[in-house]
Amino acid sequence: MTLTAIQPAQHDHHDLAGAGASPVASAADLMAANINPRTGLATDYLNHFNEAIMLLELIPDMPDCYELFLEWQPLSYAEHFIKSNFKARDLAIASYEAARPDIRAEFDALVANMTQILTTVGEAMRTVQQDRTRAMLAEQAAGWVKPMVGTAGGIINGRDQESDVDSIMAQ
């Protein structure tokens, strides 16, 4: 699959990768596609992890839901958008690829941690026999991954933790 970036209007473009890089789209085009023009990332990707969290949260009350959780498979950012019905999926992928390396590295590291937790818990659930043990695993994993999804949302939305703390303390 070849990605073709949308060419920006000359007067309204956002350079995602920094000086000297070719912009992917105008800030207006990115915003219209629900892609943050400052970071080049879309929160839609987090739905992939929210689905896993939702399934984990069901397991304590409905133990058979663990089988549904075991069907969850990790997807990269590009894989998620390729499989989705997201209207601007090619733009989302191109914007991600053009994102500043520091933003992408922080985001990718967080995604790798969430994926590791979810896949490790899935492997553990396959080996245990008791519903109560699966419920404990599910609760722990959801408790770990849920705040990480919030942090990932902050990265996507261009917020740094220090300015968030300053904002909260000012209130």
Side-chain angles (χ1 to χ4, degrees), residues 2-171:
T2 303
L3 298 176
T4 306
I6 295 175
Q7 294 301 314
Q10 293 296 340
H11 63 283
D12 182 29
H13 73 276
H14 183 73
D15 187 347
L16 292 169
S22 175
V24 175
S26 72
D29 288 340
L30 292 170
M31 288 179 8
N34 290 321
I35 299 167
N36 186 298
R38 284 184 26 213
T39 64
L41 303 174
T43 57
D44 187 82
Y45 179 58
L46 299 180
N47 291 339
H48 178 59
F49 294 98
N50 286 326
E51 175 188 345
I53 291 167
M54 179 192 70
L55 293 169
L56 288 168
E57 289 176 335
L58 290 173
I59 293 170
D61 295 326
M62 295 183 282
D64 289 342
C65 285
Y66 90 91
E67 293 173 350
L68 293 173
F69 172 72
L70 294 180
E71 293 175 12
W72 182 89
Q73 294 294 311
L75 296 173
S76 71
Y77 193 90
E79 289 168 337
H80 167 77
F81 284 103
I82 289 167
K83 290 184 174 201
S84 77
N85 292 324
F86 194 75
K87 288 182 182 181
R89 69 178 171 211
D90 290 343
L91 179 58
I93 294 166
S95 296
Y96 167 81
E97 290 173 353
R100 281 189 10 216
D102 60 323
I103 291 171
R104 219 171 112 181
E106 182 181 9
F107 181 73
D108 288 347
L110 191 55
V111 166
N113 287 335
M114 291 188 293
T115 299
Q116 183 63 50
I117 290 167
L118 294 170
T119 56
T120 301
V121 166
E123 291 166 8
M125 281 190 188
R126 283 181 175 83
T127 64
V128 299
Q129 302 300 314
Q130 294 185 0
D131 290 341
R132 192 173 79 203
T133 304
R134 285 190 193 104
M136 288 178 14
L137 287 167
E139 288 171 343
Q140 285 180 329
W144 292 329
V145 176
K146 201 178 227 182
M148 295 172 88
V149 168
T151 302
I155 294 168
I156 290 168
N157 291 314
R159 287 180 269 146
D160 63 40
Q161 292 175 335
E162 189 174 315
S163 67
D164 286 348
V165 170
D166 291 344
S167 172
I168 291 168
M169 297 304 285
Q171 295 180 8

